[in-house]
Amino acid sequence: MTLLGWAQIALVLASVIACAIPLARYIAAVAAGRVTFLAPVERAIYGLAGIDPARGMGWKGYTLAMLAANAVGFLILYGQLRLQGLLPLNPQGFDGIAPWLAFNTAVSFTTNTNWQAYSGESAMSYLSQMWGLVVHNFTSAATGIALALAVSRAFAAGALKELGNFWADFVRMNLYVLLPLAIVVGLAFVAMGMPQTLSAYIEATTLEGAVQTIPLGPAAFQIAIKHLGTNGGGFFGVNAVHPFEGPSALATALQIWSQAVIPFALALTFGHIVGDVRQGRALLAVMVGFVVVATGLIYAAEAGGNALHLAAGVDPTQGNMEGKDVRFGMALVALFTATTTGASCGAVNAMFDSFTPLGGMIPLFLIQLGEVLPGGVGSGLYGILVFALLAVFVAGLMVGRTPEYLGKKVQAKEVKLAMLAVLVLPAAILGFTAISVVLPFAVSSIQDAGPHGLSEMLYAYTSAAGNNGSAFGGLTADTPWLNTTLGIAMLLGRFAYIVPVMAIAGSLAAKPKLAVSTGTFPTHGPLFIGLLAGVILILGGLQFMPALALGPVAEHFVLAAGKTF
Amino acid sequence: MDAIPTLHAGEARHTMRGGALLTGPIVRRAALDAFAKLDPRRLVRNPVIFVTEIVAILVTVLACRAVGVGQPGTFQAGIALWLWLTVLFATFAEAVAEGRGRAQAESLRRTRTDTRAKLLLRADDRTLWQPRSATELRVGELVLVEAGDLIPSDGDVVEGIASVNEAAVTGESAPVIRESGGDRSAVTGGTLVVSDWIVVRITAAPGSTFLDRMISLVEGASRQKTPNEIALDILLAGMTIIFLIAVATLVGLASWNGQPPSAAVLAALLVTLIPTTIGGLLSAIGIAGMDRLVRFNVLATSGRAVEAAGDVDVLLLDKTGTITLGNRQAAGFIPVPGVTEREVAEAAMLSSLADETPEGRSILAFARERYGIVTPELPAEARVVPFTAQTRISGLDLPAGAYRKGAVDSLSRMLGEEPPPALREAVERIARAGATPLAVAKDGRMLGAIELKDIVKTGMRARFDALRKMGIRTVMVTGDNRLTAAAIAAEAGVDDFIAEATPEDKLAYIRKAQAEGRLVAMAGDGTNDAPALAQADVGLAMQTGTQAAREAGNMVDLDSDPTKLIEVVEIGKQLLITRGALTTFSIANDVAKYFAILPAIFVASYPELGALNVMALASPQSAILSAVIFNALIIVALVPLALRGVRYMPVGAAALLRRNLLIYGLGGIVAPFVGIKIIDVILQLLGLA
């Protein structure tokens, strides 16, 4: 670790937080319908779709609208991928995508996961990328933000019946937040050297005289929304490690900024919506705290190097550079990795498979903690609110009152729904992994023996259920078993989580908002920040300890003892 | 020392029932009951312990099978034994809590058995009655109760007056007066009429009398889970499912590289991870909380009410009798110019010589104490002028002169002269300070004023300060005018007051506070308090109050002391804190248990994982057994805390949380490291593992 490295980390994080503050206020204003510079466009969309943006929806109406929108989006994408060969904008002449892979991919992009069991440049036509995947990068992100807004509104006042209008939130987030940001960031990426073209791939002759095909495509803007919407699905197979997808350290810094700024901002937006900015700051503090600690741990683990490499005479000052690009450097890789897994983005600019065991465990654990640090756009906020409710419930009893969060009593119904939501991740991750390391046809996907092999499988289901989408590597994912089960894990991680959370929002919204007194459990100070962090670690993390002990932790100690498999 | 008085809920400032936390007979009976409670059909209400029992059965079968096929089953048997003990300790905790309540119920039940009632056949003729068993009385029937009779059931006195010994329910043996009409008309079944007679209209159906409710309450027989308890149960069940998933999937995960751990080991891991500590103590905490309230001579209609008491943030207290002593007392004599204080004192004393009211007595006492004026015998030639509603003046005619005292306006009307300006001034000053002024006259000349003050009970200000720190606003309710009310409110240190309060005002205030999102508690006794008692989130009715008030409230104070509302709030809070603290402790324990068990079960596949054995436990078997034993013993160790309740201090929520997080959160992480290590060392010394 170097001072310069830490300075890079500090600079990028500071710029994210500095921009998140005004962005938070802006998103709150958009959510309240106070931003109207595209009003004619907005009205035209509402008119065409027959939407009355002023009509409020209860939690059921809101959730059903969201589910309907996502179901239609899924079906269209699935059809488009299957029929790719018959559709235009396909200069490479790619065939239609196979059914299992098309299912997996359509689920993946609908759920904001962007798990990719394919390699973009060798499977997807320009139409599929631009009109299939990019559209879902926008819609899945807007879905997440809309849901977070609806949940936030439940805390804003007492005796609410409505949580807003899904269609209005959805349109406004796309129109006023995601599109403008994507245009600005996309232009910046073009300026930094990412391709944005519809021309066919280039045939180049290398110095050795061999012929090399250089894939191109409309990449820059897709990459912009891939990060801004915490989608993470790369244009190219190796994601941001590809020189066209990660052209420079500066582009990496901008990618980190893009994937963290909206999730961080939404924590503060929550404060604006509930009318107490301190509440948003407390959530942000927890998120930033975890990102900083995780970055530090990855950085330290990787800078410490691989014991076997060092024994073989590798320069110890280099650390473990396997699978990392020297253009980015170790510090930015650490921060990128912590934010992409913490923020449920899933883009990668280094290969986790090559990380040291502990360095690779941190991204894995960050996802297992529930993708709330800061989590995906929207999903991170409503996810951390579930933990906040549980933290308030457990510790809130200790101040001698029925626990309440922001004046809303947390009672049996909320606890039941919150536990239902919290159950989804361990059930999907541990359940599928345990089955998949036993079934022979699943086991054959695993590349490595020993604990590392377990980590590969564990990571895949973790990434899918957490709607992260990053790959650990070393796993042959394009098999019917993995395509199907990972698809199910993604659906569970997204929708089996959202429905109980929305039910909580509906239940809380209807409750009176209790007045604050000195007897009220304070949810904005350092004490609550520490408590929430502890609850996330204990309720979100403890159940994964045995699995982690058998995977990366075992690998770490085994490696330290000089043993390989 | 800190000036904050520690208000330990249960301080012996009031009549307290019961005694030591655990006595021999209760423990012996509980030990037996603990086994009866092992019935899975009953245990299923407690998901955590139910799962533990299932696992215990499973491991027992495995141990038997191992022995059956000739394998050494000692390790499995050891695990099985301690799993059973875990379940037993949990059922024991509940049994002890119930046992303490049952002991109280026994004494109550004795008073209830087979009372013969004198059922009146005609409402207007109390000579015509027939005997009827108390259990056959219906609501609305009239019974005659004479000296020496037990009152057969709850009811209202409709005729007559009697002194009643209510020791059976209140524990207080001094008889109280019960009479028809007014606020002292309610009588309780099982109490004894010691003099005179009354006619009672029955208001409770058999089996649902006050005494019946009280018995079932303290026994915990009709105990329903309270809202917070249900929510906590769900959390614990959810955590149990999560850890079930974590442990069950371990079979697959561990078989990736090596053998999966044995079923007994997985069972041990599961039971140590699921929150057995709080799961085992949860119902005991609830029963004990209710019990604390009963020992404190307050009966709640439900556990829900006790919890609501913890949530209260506005407390409505009547001024008279609650905040002030209830009687105004002489606190000063102010002469007009040309008259000495002593002359005023003498005149005031003489005018009050025949005045038997507490105010009058206090004037005599004040004159005696402050001016050394000895109270003379009432002279035979004296002519007493009694207070009447018309004149509003009282006094005494003596040969030495005619002494009068009364409100200054009444006196000046009678005398037909304006009061001297100095007196007018003094009177206004007294009224502004919240006291009551009286004027004193001798032979038609106004000598000065008497200041009658409402005396605030000592210690009230400190208690209100403590309540404020807890986040509870106190509101004084009084019939006094605003001026007087404001002055007393300032002296007592309450946050707000309702002056010239009518029952409607109270109700309106409660509704307004509730609309602002506050929970309100109040105490009341009169029939006209009933709507407000019903509207309040916690309504504490007085045992001496009317039946209507008792029905409207959700708690009844047998001592009829409205200040106890404060302690009731504390008991409610203490109940919730105890639950939260033990839950936190239970969950925090998991960290250490992982460090004990995980290396132990994986060390066969990866010997290098022994590095995680930070406690340096002797062997994998000993590590697992130690964790299981700790997990069982901690339940017993915490039974006294569960029954007594976590200490409550009236500080703000933030300070309270910091303190409890430190003790039960951090303590919960550290304690099992120490405990498991000690058990491991002992196991080694005994050569058991």
Side-chain angles (χ1 to χ4, degrees), chain A residues 93-475:
Chain A
F94 292 131
D95 281 340
I97 308 284
W100 298 118
L101 181 59
F103 164 77
N104 181 280
T105 306
V107 167
S108 170
F109 278 75
T110 305
T111 55
N112 196 258
T113 309
N114 294 27
W115 170 265
Q116 293 166 296
Y118 62 89
S119 203
E121 63 270 40
S122 57
M124 292 289 166
S125 72
Y126 289 166
L127 185 83
S128 298
Q129 296 269 31
M130 273 172 32
W131 200 243
L133 306 183
V134 171
V135 167
H136 277 79
N137 279 355
F138 279 97
T139 55
S140 66
T143 297
I145 303 177
L147 289 165
L149 295 176
V151 173
S152 303
R153 288 179 186 126
F155 296 93
L160 292 171
K161 288 197 178 62
E162 290 158 358
L163 298 173
N165 181 302
F166 171 74
W167 305 111
D169 287 338
F170 182 77
V171 169
R172 284 174 184 153
M173 286 306 127
N174 272 315
L175 215 52
Y176 293 107
V177 179
L178 294 173
L179 262 177
L181 275 172
I183 290 171
V184 173
V185 173
L187 284 173
F189 280 154
V190 170
M192 290 174 190
M194 289 187 197
Q196 179 70 28
T197 173
L198 293 179
S199 67
Y201 293 176
I202 294 171
E203 298 280 309
T205 311
T206 63
L207 288 174
E208 291 87 16
V211 176
Q212 185 188 2
T213 305
I214 299 176
L216 293 173
F221 286 94
Q222 179 167 346
I223 291 164
I225 188 63
K226 155 194 132 185
H227 289 280
L228 285 165
T230 63
N231 297 286
F235 191 89
F236 302 104
V238 291
N239 215 301
V241 187
H242 193 288
F244 286 167
E245 196 153 347
S248 62
L250 188 64
T252 293
L254 184 56
Q255 285 170 340
I256 295 170
W257 181 90
S258 304
Q259 67 201 13
V261 70
I262 297 181
F264 278 160
L266 282 172
L268 298 175
T269 300
F270 175 73
H272 291 300
I273 291 179
V274 302
D276 184 354
V277 288
R278 299 172 309 171
Q279 306 293 341
R281 275 186 223 140
L283 299 183
L284 181 67
V286 175
M287 294 171 170
V288 173
F290 269 95
V291 165
V292 169
V293 170
T295 305
L297 290 174
I298 298 171
Y299 195 12
E302 295 308 304
N306 180 327
L308 295 181
H309 291 181
L310 298 181
V314 171
D315 175 9
T317 59
Q318 293 300 309
N320 175 31
M321 280 305 285
E322 184 192 312
K324 297 182 190 63
D325 200 316
V326 284
R327 287 173 301 157
F328 310 142
M330 202 161 268
L332 283 185
V333 165
L335 182 59
F336 191 108
T337 303
T339 48
T340 196
T341 49
S344 181
C345 177
V348 291
N349 73 345
M351 292 294 120
F352 298 167
D353 205 22
S354 302
F355 277 21
T356 59
L358 294 184
M361 182 179 76
I362 301 301
L364 181 61
F365 191 52
L366 275 178
I367 305 174
Q368 288 170 340
L369 286 179
E371 284 298 33
V372 295
L373 307 160
V377 286
S379 61
L381 177 58
Y382 60 69
I384 204 168
L385 287 175
V386 169
F387 280 116
L389 291 177
L390 290 174
V392 162
F393 180 74
V394 175
L397 284 174
M398 283 196 291
V399 305
R401 285 169 64 125
T402 296
E404 62 193 74
Y405 185 55
L406 304 180
K408 301 281 188 166
K409 275 194 176 182
V410 184
Q411 288 161 313
K413 189 172 178 191
E414 290 76 36
V415 173
K416 182 162 61 187
L417 292 164
M419 286 316 285
L420 261 179
V422 169
L423 267 172
V424 171
L425 275 192
I429 295 174
L430 296 174
F432 278 126
T433 308
I435 295 170
S436 298
V437 295
V438 178
L439 294 178
F441 56 87
V443 167
S444 61
S445 286
I446 300 176
Q447 173 185 286
D448 297 291
H452 196 75
L454 181 68
S455 300
E456 289 169 358
M457 191 60 91
L458 181 63
Y459 195 99
Y461 285 106
T462 301
S463 176
N467 292 149
N468 182 277
S470 63
F472 196 65
L475 189 77

Side-chain angles (χ1 to χ4, degrees), chain B residues 183-209:
Chain B
D183 286 350
R184 292 187 295 176
S185 62
V187 289
T188 308
T191 56
L192 181 73
V193 172
V194 287
S195 75
D196 306 288
W197 57 267
I198 43 177
V199 175
V200 174
R201 180 191 291 118
I202 303 300
T203 55
S208 68
T209 65

Side-chain angles (χ1 to χ4, degrees), chain B residues 417-569:
Chain B
E417 66 173 83
E418 282 295 302
L423 181 63
R424 174 72 65 195
E425 234 169 71
V427 161
E428 275 169 15
R429 200 173 53 245
I430 292 168
R432 256 200 312 283
T436 308
L438 289 181
V440 189
K442 180 187 176 190
D443 295 335
R445 175 177 168 234
M446 291 195 224
L447 300 180
I450 308 171
E451 184 183 9
L452 288 177
K453 250 178 108 171
D454 226 350
I455 306 293
V456 174
K457 289 183 183 172
T458 51
M460 287 316 276
R461 177 174 273 279
R463 308 200 70 191
F464 294 143
D465 284 345
L467 283 168
R468 202 169 298 115
K469 288 203 185 74
M470 289 154 61
I472 298 173
R473 285 162 51 81
T474 42
V475 179
M476 182 182 85
V477 181
T478 171
D480 292 346
N481 62 50
R482 279 197 65 79
L483 218 60
T484 311
I488 295 173
E491 191 183 340
V494 293
D495 298 289
D496 197 3
F497 61 87
I498 314 173
E500 292 164 7
T502 61
E504 293 75 38
D505 289 342
K506 275 196 222 182
L507 194 59
Y509 192 94
I510 294 173
R511 290 213 170 114
K512 185 167 146 282
Q514 285 172 335
E516 289 164 3
R518 298 177 203 283
L519 274 85
V520 184
M522 72 164 281
D525 53 3
T527 299
N528 52 16
D529 281 332
L533 279 171
Q535 178 71 33
D537 300 282
V538 174
L540 179 65
M542 299 296 112
Q543 165 69 9
T544 55
T546 59
Q547 197 65 35
R550 275 163 44 172
E551 290 296 328
N554 45 16
M555 291 189 193
V556 178
D557 176 20
L558 303 175
D559 296 331
S560 303
D561 173 4
T563 28
K564 272 169 58 177
L565 201 48
I566 297 172
E567 280 90 349
V568 168
V569 168

Side-chain angles (χ1 to χ4, degrees), chain A residues 393 397-402 409 412 415-416 423 430 434 450 454 514-515 517-521 538 542-543 546 557 563, chain B residues 228 231-232 234 242 246 249-250 256 310-311 313 468 470-471 517 573 576-577 580-581 584 587 594 608 611 653 657 660:
Chain A
F393 180 74
L397 284 174
M398 283 196 291
V399 305
R401 285 169 64 125
T402 296
K409 275 194 176 182
V415 173
K416 182 162 61 187
L423 267 172
L430 296 174
L454 181 68
L514 304 177
S517 73
T518 53
T520 308
F521 180 95
I538 286 180
L542 269 190
Q543 60 266 37
F557 286 113
K563 212 155 93 187
Chain B
N228 274 315
L232 196 52
I234 293 170
I242 288 179
T249 53
L250 214 49
W256 167 251
D311 290 349
D313 33 20
R468 202 169 298 115
M470 289 154 61
K573 283 191 179 297
L576 296 179
I577 292 174
T584 307
I587 297 173
Y594 266 130
E608 295 82 2
L657 181 65
N660 288 334

